[in-house]
Amino acid sequence: MTIIDLLKNRSVTYKFSEEKLGDETIIDLIDSARYAPNPTGIYEYEIIIVMDDEEKREISKTCLVPNIDSAPVIFVIVCDETKIKNVFEENADEICIDNAALAAHSLVMRAQELGLGSAMITNINQEEMKELLNIPKNYIVRWVIPVGHSDETAKSYKPSPPKAGDIVHLDRF
Ligand SMILES: Cc1cc2nc3c(=O)[nH]c(=O)nc-3n(C[C@H](O)[C@H](O)[C@H](O)COP(=O)(O)O)c2cc1C
């Protein structure tokens, strides 16, 4: 499948089948995040692989997204913003947000390419999640990404993208 096919066919998955993911698949997904574009070369984000059932249940609760604990793996992307702040005086938070989003999107698109479902979740209670996963205080939790085989019975709603004519301008706004 080409990238445009993957983009057109992906839709969010919140409910997963019981099928597990092999270690090679998990490493492959991590690689896709590692190879995301990075403007600074600082790589301030880190990824927690959550496979423990109780932890997944708690993540599902704290993000207010039911069923994501059915995923065999939940990736949690966290950022050490101080690494950016040590180098750039301004816009550290924007840089962190951009980089984590690029890593998250790469991971999700690789999951799609492997025939797996995923969700990108940002509604995260920082304090609860840090406590739950033992994340240091100076980190920011940016993404929660459950990945696994989609439960085919749970169809998700996919909004239509805007028409190109509604968002594109030629030469000037
Ligand atoms: C930046 C971003 C943040 C999101 N945050 C959440 C979230 O906090 N909770 C949630 O249930 N879904 C979240 N989603 C999933 C969206 O609800 C979902 O992507 C949206 O319904 C569009 O559907 P699609 O991904 O199938 O195109 C998020 C998606 C994106 C791209």
Side-chain angles (χ1 to χ4, degrees):
M1 250 201 217
T2 63
I3 288 182
I4 190 68
D5 292 327
L6 294 169
L7 287 164
K8 283 182 179 172
N9 290 325
R10 188 208 54 81
S11 65
V12 66
T13 301
Y14 294 118
K15 196 155 183 253
F16 301 84
S17 77
E18 284 176 9
E19 198 173 335
K20 302 274 180 237
L21 297 187
D23 289 351
E24 282 142 39
T25 303
I26 293 170
I27 291 165
D28 184 317
L29 291 166
I30 296 287
D31 280 348
S32 65
R34 290 172 51 230
Y35 281 94
N38 189 280
T40 60
I42 293 173
Y43 296 101
E44 69 289 353
Y45 58 83
E46 296 172 41
I47 303 172
I48 305 167
I49 300 167
V50 182
M51 295 197 278
D52 177 82
D53 286 340
E54 183 53 32
E55 278 185 20
K56 286 189 287 177
R57 269 194 291 277
E58 290 303 318
I59 290 174
S60 175
K61 269 192 232 159
T62 184
C63 293
L64 306 175
V65 188
N67 296 323
I68 57 167
D69 52 312
S70 58
V73 182
I74 299 181
F75 297 94
V76 180
I77 301 184
V78 299
C79 298
D80 180 0
E81 216 173 78
T82 53
K83 281 189 182 167
I84 297 286
K85 281 186 175 148
N86 288 341
V87 181
F88 296 95
E89 277 176 24
E90 288 176 8
N91 304 331
D93 52 344
E94 279 103 331
I95 293 170
C96 288
I97 290 168
D98 289 349
N99 292 347
L102 288 165
H105 191 245
S106 290
L107 194 155
V108 160
M109 292 315 298
R110 179 61 179 149
Q112 175 73 11
E113 191 175 32
L114 295 173
L116 300 169
S118 65
M120 301 173 75
I121 294 166
T122 52
N123 181 27
I124 298 162
N125 182 315
Q126 292 290 319
E127 294 318 311
E128 282 180 23
M129 194 69 87
K130 285 184 193 177
E131 172 85 24
L132 177 66
L133 302 182
N134 201 25
I135 299 164
K137 281 203 164 27
N138 57 308
Y139 279 64
I140 296 169
V141 191
R142 287 281 176 219
W143 292 97
V144 165
I145 308 175
V147 179
H149 293 271
S150 301
D151 177 338
E152 295 297 337
T153 62
K155 285 268 167 251
S156 67
Y157 161 73
K158 182 163 179 62
S160 305
K163 292 192 177 73
D166 290 341
I167 58 166
V168 174
H169 307 271
L170 182 59
D171 289 336
R172 290 172 185 231
F173 191 92

